[in-house]
Amino acid sequence: EGTVQNDLGKRYQEEFRKYLIGEMEFPKNVFISLFVSEEKDLYPILVLPRCNRHEGVHLHHFYIPGIEIKLFIGNQQPVEFECIRKEFPDEVLIFLESFKKSDLWKALVRSARNAKYKGKLKKMSEVDLRLIIKDP
């Protein structure tokens, strides 16, 4: 078995395990946001889970058509998260957004524009990809 690159770390993995089986409350220093696309026609795009540092916390992030999930873990949660948590004490906050106006969409468009295509994708990129990634 290979090593998982995006694991939560031993501490948070154990805390989530205990939370899921009802042995403890939702882990401290964790903020989960779920963004649901308001578009009816979804792009068949998948962004595999990845983890990076974001404003002092680890951001675990992935996207499946119509749903973007962000899991912020760490001791240095942004102040805004505390304010949101006081107002909305739920464990997961759900937002409705336009995917074509999201930061993820903008990043995907930049990547597609800067990519160096070869073979069949090069032919496709000359026509079809420009139509797909045009700005909203």
Side-chain angles (χ1 to χ4, degrees):
E1 247 179 72
T3 308
V4 176
Q5 296 287 330
N6 294 318
D7 69 2
L8 300 173
K10 288 182 182 180
R11 173 186 166 189
Y12 289 104
Q13 186 170 323
E14 181 63 13
E15 287 183 14
F16 272 108
R17 185 189 73 76
K18 287 182 177 180
Y19 167 73
L20 291 170
I21 61 173
E23 289 183 3
M24 70 176 279
E25 291 184 18
F26 190 76
K28 302 273 188 249
N29 304 321
V30 172
F31 185 86
I32 299 175
S33 58
L34 181 81
F35 295 87
V36 179
S37 177
E38 64 185 17
E39 283 88 10
K40 291 180 182 177
D41 296 321
L42 303 174
Y43 286 97
I45 298 170
L46 176 72
V47 177
L48 297 175
R50 63 181 192 257
C51 178
N52 58 318
R53 297 281 293 167
H54 178 78
E55 298 181 17
V57 296
H58 286 92
L59 169 59
H60 295 265
H61 176 249
F62 66 95
Y63 176 84
I64 57 175
I67 300 174
E68 181 180 10
I69 298 173
K70 294 181 180 181
L71 171 65
F72 298 86
I73 299 176
N75 294 326
Q76 298 176 7
Q77 297 279 329
V79 175
E80 300 87 37
F81 291 0
E82 277 185 45
C83 295
I84 292 170
R85 235 198 210 115
K86 286 178 185 173
E87 190 71 27
F88 306 99
D90 296 326
E91 291 145 355
V92 178
L93 289 178
I94 301 173
F95 302 92
L96 181 65
E97 74 169 355
S98 168
F99 179 61
K100 284 190 153 186
K101 293 180 182 176
S102 71
D103 291 337
L104 176 59
W105 175 257
K106 292 172 188 170
L108 290 169
V109 168
R110 274 192 309 274
S111 294
R113 286 185 177 151
N114 296 329
K116 305 233 184 298
Y117 298 102
K118 295 180 180 182
K120 289 181 181 180
L121 274 180
K122 185 172 183 172
K123 289 178 185 175
M124 181 183 168
S125 71
E126 293 170 0
V127 180
D128 297 335
L129 288 177
R130 280 195 211 124
L131 295 174
I132 293 170
I133 65 171
K134 69 182 177 186
D135 291 343

